[in-house]
Amino acid sequence: MSADPLGLAGAPVLVAGATGRVGGAVARAFAARGAEVVVHGRNGRSTGALADALTAEYDVRAHPLTAGLTSPDAPRVLRAGLAAAGVDRLAVLVNCVTGYDGLPRPAAELTAAEFRAVLETDLVAVHTLVTTVLPLLAASGGARVVLLSSLAGVRGRPPPPTSAPRRRGWRG
């Protein structure tokens, strides 16, 4: 049996939203299988720390990529970051970015601006991400794209426990 049954050793992988809980777990799973992981996030300190941790823990190449996906210059920043990391192809793209990070509440209570922000992140930014890296995916000749979503979009999130402090960004 092969030591690399999934063929991931050295395969370049981009995990968008890698600094979140789910994205971090996905990035670690790829690194544990020997993939070269590009970790994307909005915060340079977090992406750098995660890339350093993956390199140290799994002895793989890991690169931080800091970019806001809803920014008009996101495609340029993504391409420049990938080029600076020496990534000229991608075997896998996994998107773990999510848009709404406010308090759980009924959808009817979202302001128009909050709703537009969710659409920008969860729909428009994902399109931007995929179309920007499509040439790198095509260069792999058999790449995979995985777009994750939350069940909260289908059935909502419960409110935080009454004992928990109600703060912006609470994740249940």
Side-chain angles (χ1 to χ4, degrees):
M1 180 173 191
S2 170
D4 184 23
L6 299 177
L8 291 172
V13 173
L14 169 58
V15 180
T19 56
R21 287 185 293 188
V22 172
V26 169
R28 287 183 184 284
F30 277 111
R33 283 153 186 83
E36 175 181 358
V37 185
V38 178
V39 293
H40 161 269
R42 290 180 294 187
N43 179 297
R45 191 174 325 158
S46 298
T47 56
L50 180 56
D52 290 346
L54 295 178
T55 298
E57 199 171 326
Y58 299 102
D59 194 29
V60 297
R61 289 183 50 181
H63 316 279
L65 176 57
T66 305
L69 297 180
T70 59
S71 166
D73 67 339
R76 181 192 59 75
V77 173
L78 287 168
R79 283 191 296 268
L82 290 164
V87 175
D88 59 359
R89 66 183 180 88
L90 286 171
V92 182
L93 164 65
V94 181
N95 178 62
C96 302
V97 175
T98 184
Y100 180 68
D101 64 356
L103 293 172
R105 63 181 194 260
E109 292 179 13
L110 284 175
T111 68
E114 289 171 323
F115 183 68
R116 277 192 291 280
V118 170
L119 292 178
E120 280 293 317
T121 303
D122 290 355
L123 297 177
V124 177
V126 172
H127 177 265
T128 299
L129 174 65
V130 173
T131 56
T132 298
V133 302
L134 199 54
L136 301 180
L137 293 163
S140 282
R144 302 291 186 257
V145 175
V146 180
L147 306 175
L148 299 180
S149 181
S150 169
L151 287 176
V154 175
R155 60 180 179 208
R157 285 187 283 178
T162 54
S163 62
R166 292 184 62 91
R167 58 180 166 67
R168 184 154 181 77
W170 179 84
R171 305 248 186 211

